[in-house]
Each structure stands twice: as structure tokens, then as C-alpha cells.
Amino acid sequence: MVGTIRTFDAALRDSLVRRLREIAETTCAALGAGGEFRFFPGYPATINDGEMAAFVTEVAADAVGRDNVVRDLVMMGAEDMSYFLRERPGCFFLVGAGNQSRGIVHPHHSPHFDIDEDALAIGCELLLRIAERYFARFPSPPGRRGGAR
């Protein structure tokens, strides 16, 4: 069997791995079978810094309007950004690139995925505004606010 374990809590993840190992080993033993349990940890959870998430929300609301900003979206995707956010405060965010009226409705990783190219300009503008406002508000290097993290 092959599966994935994703949690937002490292201790819970460790507990689940221990429990899965126990279940696999005792089930095999009870049925007179052999087995091997291997766990590859994969990506950690992507958890935004609260202050940076509020900052990005503020900038995004100015750029696209508050009604077009979704906050506190919880997703279990695996992202390289997870590792960056362990080292420095930051915010992983998405720029909606679908468009129902144009039939652009398929998710990432779908063979039918398409992007509404108008979203590219919005994404570029948002990144530019974030950078400009960040360096105006926090002139010290990222991660140095209140000491290194």
C-alpha cells in the first residue's frame, strides 16, 4: 500500500506515522504475513507568518478590492515554500487564474488546465506592490524584524 500523510502539526504527524507502523506490523503478524513499513516524510506543512499574511491581505485588498481577497484558506498542498517559511516570515498566496465565462475551470495538474492570461498582470502588479510597500514599511532585511527567526 502507498499513501500520503499531511497535517499542519508536526507532533500529530509523528503520532500518525507511529500508529500506522503499529497497525501495519500487528496486522501482518496477526495474519501470518510479512511486511515492511517505510515512511518518506515529504514536505512539511506550508504555514504563513500571521503578520506577513495580514500585510499581503492588506496589499491585495488595495490592488484587487477586499471582496476579491480570500483569507484563511486552508489547503493541504505540498509546496517548496514550506521550507522558506520555516526560515523567514512570509506568506504563500494564490492568484486566481480561472475564468468560468471563458471555460477556464480545470485545476492545476489537470491535463485540461489553462490559465486566464489576464491574471498574469494581476499577479505581477500584486508582487510589485508587496515589494514596494514591504521595503517602505520594513527597511531592514527580511526576517530581521524583532530578531532573526
Side-chain angles (χ1 to χ4, degrees):
M1 293 191 309
V2 176
T4 301
I5 297 175
R6 293 186 180 168
T7 70
F8 291 107
D9 181 298
L12 174 60
R13 183 181 192 180
D14 292 343
S15 174
L16 289 172
V17 171
R18 279 191 306 276
R19 187 69 182 120
L20 283 172
R21 180 181 303 278
E22 291 170 5
I23 291 169
E25 290 172 352
T26 57
T27 301
C28 287
L31 297 173
E36 179 183 353
F37 183 87
R38 290 183 288 170
F39 178 71
F40 304 99
Y43 288 83
T46 303
I47 301 173
N48 288 333
D49 175 78
E51 183 179 355
M52 290 304 296
F55 173 73
V56 169
T57 298
E58 172 190 313
V59 176
D62 289 346
V64 299
R66 190 156 304 281
D67 291 343
N68 295 311
V69 177
V70 176
R71 179 132 190 216
D72 300 324
L73 179 65
V74 176
M75 298 175 17
M76 295 299 286
E79 296 292 338
D80 291 341
M81 187 68 175
S82 303
Y83 294 106
F84 293 109
L85 291 173
R86 286 179 152 195
E87 300 299 321
R88 295 287 186 265
C91 179
F92 178 81
F93 63 93
L94 302 172
V95 176
N99 185 328
Q100 283 192 323
S101 67
R102 295 180 53 204
I104 302 172
V105 297
H106 298 284
H108 295 187
H109 311 294
S110 163
H112 305 289
F113 174 77
D114 194 7
I115 184 173
D116 182 352
E117 293 183 4
D118 292 342
L120 296 174
I122 295 168
C124 289
E125 179 182 352
L126 186 54
L127 289 171
L128 177 63
R129 286 182 183 218
I130 289 168
E132 288 176 337
R133 205 171 301 177
Y134 180 89
F135 288 112
R137 188 177 295 180
F138 307 113
S140 62
R144 300 295 186 236
R145 294 175 286 125
R149 292 185 186 190

